Amino acid sequence: MKRVFGVRKDKEPSASIQDASDRINKRGDNVDEKLRKLDAELIRYKEQIKKTRPGPAQEAIKARAMRILKQKRVYEGQRDMLYSQMFNLDQAKGLKDAQQTEQKSGQSSRSFFSTLFGIGCLPHER
């Protein structure tokens, strides 16, 4: 049977919220680095435009600068999307922490009242 159907693969552990947040943060840092490089390139093109005389050479430099600006806008959109995803993950993490805190407080209050009932410290009803 193993030859026909194969052997079941072990499941890998699912990623935690912290792992996903770390990956998104790393990707955001990569996008920020690309944006810094594009900014440096734009500054270089700006200096070249100032130095060249008006004409076809200056227009070619302007066209390259416009392509860089478009790339920069795309990367900024990706960065904003990544930061919004990271914000959502942080919110989910906070929600999960709040849920765990609520569960622990419910367990502690139950154990507190069971202890009080056990030793007879609660006031009796009249």
Side-chain angles (χ1 to χ4, degrees):
M1 279 296 195
K2 289 182 183 178
R3 289 183 190 175
V4 175
F5 295 111
V7 180
R8 182 181 216 182
K9 293 182 182 179
D10 293 331
K11 288 186 179 179
E12 294 181 13
S14 61
S16 68
I17 292 176
Q18 185 63 35
D19 293 339
S21 179
D22 291 342
R23 271 188 265 123
I24 289 174
N25 197 10
K26 191 175 181 180
R27 285 188 355 222
D29 291 343
N30 288 341
V31 171
D32 285 338
E33 182 63 32
K34 288 178 183 178
L35 282 171
R36 278 189 230 108
K37 287 179 183 177
L38 290 177
D39 284 335
E41 201 169 340
L42 280 172
I43 290 171
R44 188 170 55 95
Y45 284 142
K46 189 183 249 187
E47 293 298 320
Q48 284 180 355
I49 289 171
K50 286 181 185 177
K51 290 179 183 177
T52 58
R53 289 185 288 170
Q58 191 180 41
E59 294 300 320
I61 295 171
K62 283 182 183 180
R64 279 187 251 144
M66 289 301 292
R67 278 196 302 262
I68 297 297
L69 277 173
K70 286 180 184 178
Q71 283 181 344
K72 184 179 174 185
R73 271 192 232 119
V74 168
Y75 283 133
E76 285 173 344
Q78 287 178 357
R79 182 188 60 190
D80 293 342
M81 184 183 65
L82 288 171
Y83 286 151
S84 66
Q85 285 177 356
M86 196 162 34
F87 175 76
N88 289 339
L89 281 175
D90 290 341
Q91 292 294 319
K93 190 169 140 185
L95 186 63
K96 188 176 182 180
D97 291 343
Q99 185 181 22
Q100 288 176 348
T101 303
E102 191 273 328
Q103 287 175 349
K104 295 293 182 186
S105 67
Q107 291 172 354
S108 64
S109 67
R110 275 183 251 136
S111 66
F112 173 72
F113 282 116
S114 66
T115 305
L116 287 180
F117 276 125
I119 59 175
C121 289
L122 288 177
H124 299 286
E125 293 182 9
R126 295 183 185 174

